[in-house]
C-alpha cells in the first residue's frame, strides 16, 4: 500500500472535526430560540393519536 499519498488525511479530519465543534458551540451560545405554545384540544389530540400509532406499530411489528 502507498501510505505517502494520504499521510495528512488524519490531521485534516481532526482539524475539520475541531472546526465542526467550534461552529456547534458558537451556534448554541448565540442562537436564541423562543417557543410560544398556544393551542387548543385539536392539535393535542392529533399529536396523541400519532404517538399512539407509533407505539402500536412498534409493538405490533
Amino acid at each position: 500500500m502507498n501510505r505517502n499519498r494520504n499521510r495528512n488525511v488524519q490531521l485534516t479530519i481532526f482539524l475539520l472535526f475541531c472546526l465542526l465543534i467550534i461552529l456547534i458551540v458558537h451556534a448554541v451560545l448565540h442562537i436564541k430560540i423562543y417557543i410560544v405554545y398556544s393551542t387548543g384540544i385539536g392539535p393535542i389530540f392529533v399529536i396523541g393519536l400519532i404517538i399512539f400509532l407509533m407505539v402500536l406499530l412498534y409493538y405490533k411489528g
Side-chain angles (χ1 to χ4, degrees):
M1 293 180 85
N2 188 3
R3 293 187 182 260
N4 291 333
R5 184 175 57 145
N6 292 327
R7 63 182 174 186
N8 292 328
V9 171
Q10 292 176 350
L11 180 62
T12 305
I13 291 173
F14 175 73
L15 291 174
L16 287 173
F17 185 71
C18 289
L19 180 63
L20 180 66
I21 295 295
I22 290 170
L23 288 173
I24 290 173
V25 169
H26 186 270
V28 167
L29 291 177
H30 291 91
I31 294 175
K32 292 184 174 118
I33 299 174
Y34 298 100
I35 298 174
V36 178
Y37 188 75
S38 175
T39 186
I41 193 72
I44 294 175
F45 179 73
V46 171
I47 291 171
L49 181 64
I50 291 172
I51 292 173
F52 172 74
L53 288 175
M54 289 169 58
V55 170
L56 181 70
L57 290 173
Y58 176 76
Y59 283 116
K60 210 173 191 185

